[in-house]
Amino acid sequence: MKPDFEKYKDRLFNDLLSGSHHERFMALIEQLHNQGSTKKEIHELFLEFHKAIQIDPRTKEKEVVYDNLSDFMDGFVDHGVGFKILPNESYK
């Protein structure tokens, strides 16, 4: 079940700007996965969010916010980060 970006948009922004985005994103990912969303569908939600932060007035001028989200999203793929998102699920 693909999560709707508009439904989660405010939560994603709040989580990213909270100072504890990693833990909050992982909780959301677990919730979405438990509701039937696949790793790929959740990654697509975060890709849409990644685009949104580049134009949203709250975040577009904040390079550290962009970097934090980019670093977190590396956990979806194999880019040598120290953690993996849904490591037991293949990306299909």
Side-chain angles (χ1 to χ4, degrees), residues 2-3 33 37-47 76 86 89-92:
K2 183 177 178 186
H33 192 254
S37 296
T38 66
K39 182 176 186 173
K40 182 178 182 196
E41 290 169 335
I42 297 167
H43 186 223
E44 289 170 356
L45 172 72
F46 276 84
L47 288 171
F76 282 107
L86 301 173
E89 184 176 333
S90 65
Y91 189 89
K92 33 178 168 165

Side-chain angles (χ1 to χ4, degrees), residues 16 21 25 63-73:
L16 181 61
H21 67 277
F25 285 162
E63 187 174 338
V64 69
V65 171
Y66 177 88
D67 291 344
N68 286 341
L69 180 57
S70 298
D71 290 344
F72 177 83
M73 288 177 59

Side-chain angles (χ1 to χ4, degrees), residues 9-22 24-25 49 53 56-66 68-69:
K9 180 179 177 179
D10 288 336
R11 178 175 176 176
L12 287 165
F13 272 102
N14 289 337
D15 290 353
L16 181 61
L17 298 171
S18 73
S20 59
H21 67 277
H22 182 92
R24 291 177 178 218
F25 285 162
F49 181 48
I53 70 165
D56 189 278
R58 295 171 283 185
T59 52
K60 70 179 182 178
E61 301 296 327
K62 296 180 179 179
E63 187 174 338
V64 69
V65 171
Y66 177 88
N68 286 341
L69 180 57

